[in-house]
DNA sequence: GCTCCTTTGAAGCTG
DNA sequence: CAGCTTCAAAGGAGC
């Protein structure tokens, strides 16, 4: 199940079971479905908007926003002429990249997969954090790794770097400015920083913090965590097991996406100042003047407890969500999907779009990029196909 | 703008 | 191997 392969046959439509937690039904309800229709045919005559300049993206003299990824032409800018794709925002997607949901964007090295600017009528695409999402003609997916199923259709990923050098890259930014060089350096450092996967408790507090914050608004974040710690301890073994399993999946997924990575690499990267705190034994206050009252109220409040219990009812959905690498689906007619992988640029393979020949020039150009990428991938990477299910492809770096 | 606070758990380090 | 340290998340507070 978690060996990196996609057991399509075990999946339920609308769920990403092959990449645990990659999909959230809960998140689906937050997706502005009606606002993001996917055109069923190629919108002809769409003109790409110019790639924003550095100053446009990040303002003068400042590091561009990490999500801006100025070297990548986003689907928003490419296809804003139709389909309201331009309304897609990370916030809409609510992609909490899962274990990586709170990972910084630099951990999604999508910027290494530049999308050529010169494709005025490229196939409809989606992005998440600038990761291009496109649909390929049937048969193209054979050399790609399936990462899940959305609306009954397989979602594949395309490892970063497989795009051929011939792919025209986005304009290079002027890096003569020393501050920009510094920004580049910082961003490079950021990209190299891989956060550790969350443990079970981290997953728990991430899910339940909003509820606790509502209950005890007057408390600081530290006190909220104390409450969460109490609630965590009050959970049954079965309830906690859900999070342990989820954390295990996160860890395995993290290991797949970052082979060779160790928490050791992060040591010192977030080193705290010399602690002014008392030794750990006396660090925790036995009683917090304010928090203790609230804590007692929260703990004893049957309503709150009921709320927490009810939360666990929806836990199943949310549980899968919290690892969510980002999965978005749209209405059943357009059946779009967005997925995101920390090490891959995502490609949505589907036979819905048979690339129209009337757009042969631009589409062929666009297609060439993908074809070359897939070919490059299959020829250079250690792709293996599951003997049990031909839809299963594993990509080993 | 950086660090602390606060929780639990996982992993690495040290003796 | 036991015990300690660091870091995952979160955001307000303090320096």
């Amino acid at each position: 199940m978690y060996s990196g392969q996609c057991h399509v046959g075990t999946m339920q439509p609308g769920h990403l079971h092959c990449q645990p937690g990659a999909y959230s039904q809960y998140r689906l309800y937050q997706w502005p479905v009606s606002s993001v229709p996917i055109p069923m045919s190629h919108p002809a005559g769409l003109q790409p908007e110019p790639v924003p300049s550095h100053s446009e993206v990040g303002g003068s003299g400042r590091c561009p926003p990490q999500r801006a990824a100025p070297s990548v032409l986003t689907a928003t800018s490419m296809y804003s002429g139709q389909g309201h794709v331009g309304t897609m925002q990370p916030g809409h997607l609510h992609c909490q990249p899962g274990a990586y949901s709170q990972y910084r964007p630099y951990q999604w090295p999508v910027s290494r997969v530049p999308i050529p600017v010169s494709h005025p009528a490229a196939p409809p695409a989606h992005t998440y954090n600038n990761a291009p999402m496109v649909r390929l003609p049937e048969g193209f997916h054979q050399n790609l790794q399936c990462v899940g199923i959305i609306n009954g259709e397989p979602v594949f990923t395309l490892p970063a770097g497989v795009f051929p050098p011939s792919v025209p890259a986005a304009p290079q930014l002027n890096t003569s400015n020393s501050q920009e060089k510094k920004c580049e350096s910082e961003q490079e450092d950021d990209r190299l920083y891989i956060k550790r996967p969350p443990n079970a408790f981290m997953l728990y507090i991430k899910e339940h913090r909003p509820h606790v914050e509502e209950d005890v608004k007057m408390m600081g974040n530290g006190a909220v965590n104390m409450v969460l710690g109490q609630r965590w301890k009050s959970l049954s073994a079965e309830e906690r097991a859900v999070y342990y399993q989820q954390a295990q999946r996160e860890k395995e997924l993290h290991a797949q996406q970052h082979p060779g990575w160790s928490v050791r690499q992060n040591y010192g990267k977030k080193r705290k100042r010399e602690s002014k705190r008392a030794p750990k034994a006396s660090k925790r206050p036995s009683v917090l003047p304010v928090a203790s009252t609230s804590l007692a109220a929260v703990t004893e409040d049957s309503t709150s407890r009921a709320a927490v219990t009810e939360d666990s009812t929806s836990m199943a959905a949310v549980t899968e969500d919290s690892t969510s690498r980002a999965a978005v689906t749209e209405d059943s007619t357009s059946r779009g999907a967005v997925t995101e992988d920390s090490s891959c640029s995502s490609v949505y393979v589907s036979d819905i779009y048979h690339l129209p020949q009337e757009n042969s020039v631009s589409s062929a150009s666009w297609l060439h990029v993908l074809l070359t990428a897939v070919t490059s991938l299959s020829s250079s990477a250690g792709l293996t196909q599951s003997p049990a299910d031909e839809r299963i492809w594993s990509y080993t770096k």
Side-chain angles (χ1 to χ4, degrees):
Chain A
M1 192 66 177
Y2 310 125
S3 61
Q5 294 180 339
C6 175
H7 296 243
V8 178
T10 66
M11 296 180 183
Q12 298 296 323
H15 291 266
L16 272 177
H17 282 198
C18 68
Q19 205 173 55
Y23 176 76
S24 161
Q25 280 236 287
Y26 171 71
R27 300 292 179 192
L28 284 181
Y29 293 116
Q30 298 182 331
W31 174 251
V33 172
S34 60
S35 65
V36 192
I38 301 301
M40 294 301 292
S41 61
H42 285 296
L46 290 183
Q47 297 300 319
E49 297 174 358
V51 175
S53 68
H54 191 190
S55 60
E56 288 171 330
V57 171
S60 59
R62 299 184 57 193
C63 292
Q66 289 180 319
R67 291 183 184 276
S71 62
V72 174
L73 183 63
T74 67
T76 297
S77 60
M78 289 180 74
Y79 309 117
S80 59
Q82 185 174 343
H84 304 280
V85 179
T87 64
M88 294 176 67
Q89 298 292 336
H92 286 126
L93 299 179
H94 282 279
C95 298
Q96 297 195 350
Y100 320 90
S101 63
Q102 298 180 16
Y103 281 17
R104 292 175 244 176
Y106 50 70
Q107 291 183 290
W108 313 327
V110 294
S111 62
R112 297 171 189 168
V113 188
I115 302 301
V117 178
S118 57
H119 296 296
H126 293 253
T127 66
Y128 174 68
N129 283 334
N130 299 324
M133 298 295 305
V134 300
R135 299 184 177 192
L136 295 178
E138 189 168 15
F140 276 39
H141 63 283
Q142 289 185 352
N143 292 335
L144 299 175
Q145 178 189 4
C146 174
V147 297
I149 292 290
I150 293 180
N151 286 346
E153 294 185 286
V155 176
F156 296 79
T157 66
L158 192 61
V162 301
F163 279 89
S166 60
V167 174
Q172 293 296 315
L173 299 174
N174 182 359
T175 57
S176 60
N177 183 295
S178 60
Q179 183 160 2
E180 290 177 354
K181 285 182 178 176
K182 182 174 177 239
C183 291
E184 277 191 348
S185 176
E186 290 173 353
Q187 290 174 350
E188 182 64 25
D189 290 343
D190 283 348
R191 280 192 290 269
L192 294 174
Y193 189 86
I194 300 169
K195 289 190 177 183
R196 57 166 59 182
N199 60 36
F201 181 69
M202 288 293 113
L203 294 170
Y204 173 79
I205 65 174
K206 184 178 172 184
E207 178 180 331
H208 289 272
R209 172 175 281 114
H211 308 301
V212 174
E213 286 174 344
E214 289 179 6
D215 290 342
V216 286
K217 288 177 181 174
M218 74 295 292
M219 298 167 67
N221 220 38
V224 168
N225 283 347
M226 290 180 67
V227 174
L228 286 166
Q230 292 289 329
R231 292 188 179 186
W232 171 256
K233 290 175 182 174
S234 70
L235 291 179
S236 67
E238 291 78 13
E239 289 172 318
R240 267 186 280 184
V242 173
Y243 295 94
Y244 286 126
Q245 292 171 3
Q246 188 179 347
Q248 182 64 24
R249 291 197 295 266
E250 295 282 357
K251 189 174 69 176
E252 293 172 355
L253 198 57
H254 190 274
Q256 286 180 14
Q257 294 173 340
H258 306 288
W261 178 88
S262 167
V263 295
R264 184 194 324 167
Q265 298 176 16
N266 290 11
Y267 273 41
K269 299 279 183 65
K270 188 189 172 184
R271 185 175 298 280
K272 298 174 182 177
R273 289 184 300 198
E274 189 172 353
S275 179
K276 302 171 185 175
R277 297 179 295 184
K280 197 171 186 177
S282 60
K283 180 180 65 178
R284 302 177 191 176
S286 57
V287 175
L288 276 178
V290 176
S292 59
T293 306
S294 303
L295 178 59
V298 169
T299 306
E300 295 175 6
D301 183 332
S302 59
T303 306
S304 299
R305 296 286 304 144
V308 173
T309 305
E310 288 180 1
D311 286 342
S312 61
T313 306
S314 60
M315 191 181 298
V318 179
T319 295
E320 292 186 350
D321 159 59
S322 43
T323 57
S324 58
R325 326 231 55 72
V328 176
T329 183
E330 298 158 359
D331 63 66
S332 57
T333 55
S334 56
R335 294 200 298 169
V338 174
T339 186
E340 173 257 309
D341 183 284
S342 69
S343 63
C344 301
S345 171
S346 303
V347 179
Y348 189 170
V349 178
S350 168
D351 58 357
I352 292 177
Y353 287 99
H354 298 281
L355 297 179
Q357 296 179 353
E358 60 268 26
N359 291 329
S360 57
V361 175
S362 55
S363 293
S365 183
W366 170 255
L367 200 53
H368 170 75
V369 174
L370 294 167
L371 263 174
T372 311
V374 173
T375 305
S376 171
L377 172 64
S378 61
S379 61
S380 62
L383 280 168
T384 56
Q385 190 175 20
S386 168
D389 188 335
E390 64 179 5
R391 290 168 295 185
I392 299 174
W393 285 86
S394 296
Y395 169 72
T396 54
K397 294 181 180 178

